[in-house]
Amino acid sequence: MIEVKGIRKKFGDLEVLKGLDLTVNKGDVIAILGPSGSGKTTLLRCMNFLERADEGTMYFDSDVVDMHKADKKTIHNIRNKTAFVFQSFNLFTNKTALENVTIGLTVARKMDKHKAEEIGKKLLDKVGLSDKYNSYPSQLSGGQQQRVGIARALAADPEIIYFDEPTSALDPELIGEVLKVIKELADDGMTMLVVTHEMNFAKNVSNRVIFMEEGKIISSSGTKEFFEEQKNERVRNFIKNILKKGE
Ligand SMILES: Nc1ncnc2c1ncn2[C@@H]1O[C@H](COP(=O)(O)OP(=O)(O)O)[C@@H](O)[C@H]1O
Ligand SMILES: [Mg+2]
């Protein structure tokens, strides 16, 4: 469905992505692991054109896109098929949960307000927030805010959703409710790339895992093989250390 080849990105002299290749098939849930600073966020941002790659080719459905040179219209077309869930939620603080979900529909897609609200309410119901349509972000817990963020992503009816550490800003007791929603999307067959440090989530929900270090993918395989037959010692130690921290 999506394939990227040779993504490179520098910030000044700092080479953050050093020529990555990644193939995403429809229905894949790919967990992206790796230490802080390895380029995980930058990879997702480049794939969604929130950041402009220096080099790289994207094959999205039948389109072939030069990721450095892509024009506005091409980016617009790709963004129409993708959605992004941010670590820090990125909700409008002066808008209700429902308005946060519908604004992309009414403004960008010029949808009739009532129709958009009908869709928005259904999506808030789906993430377990049927009693919070009119709440402002400040009246919601972090877990609830992130579920609004997921409902907003779904409103775009995307082919793929990129999640950038969706639970890392949450108190531990709120992580489960967000992961549960993401698991339900996986069960529905949604295609997702999920940057996460939640090893149990990666183990139980993803079908593939990639591990990044210093701007490269150093391990990539099916989930079972990744965890049970991991040949790379650094990756094994990273997993062990994270599991230890969680105890
Ligand atoms: N906008 C930016 N300007 C300059 N440096 C950046 C920018 N975004 C990220 N970096 C740097 O790129 C590297 C990779 O960052 P990032 O993709 O956020 O890694 P990760 O998500 O794996 O923690 C880090 O060294 C970070 O400081
Ligand atoms: Mg990051």
Side-chain angles (χ1 to χ4, degrees), residues 144-187:
Q144 291 168 335
Q145 290 182 59
Q146 190 58 299
R147 285 186 280 147
V148 174
I150 294 172
R152 175 183 56 188
L154 291 170
D157 195 20
E159 288 181 29
I160 181 167
I161 305 179
Y162 301 110
F163 291 83
D164 189 11
E165 299 198 34
T167 61
S168 63
L170 301 177
D171 291 334
E173 71 273 18
L174 301 178
I175 290 175
E177 66 190 58
V178 172
L179 294 180
K180 178 169 166 274
V181 169
I182 301 174
K183 178 167 189 329
E184 285 165 4
L185 297 180
D187 293 342

Side-chain angles (χ1 to χ4, degrees), residues 3 16 31 48 63 114 121 123 148 162 171 189 199 201 205 226 236:
E3 191 173 355
V16 176
N48 207 31
D63 296 330
H114 292 288
K121 285 177 181 172
L123 292 172
V148 174
Y162 301 110
D171 291 334
M199 289 301 144
F201 173 81
V205 181
F226 185 91
R236 278 206 308 271

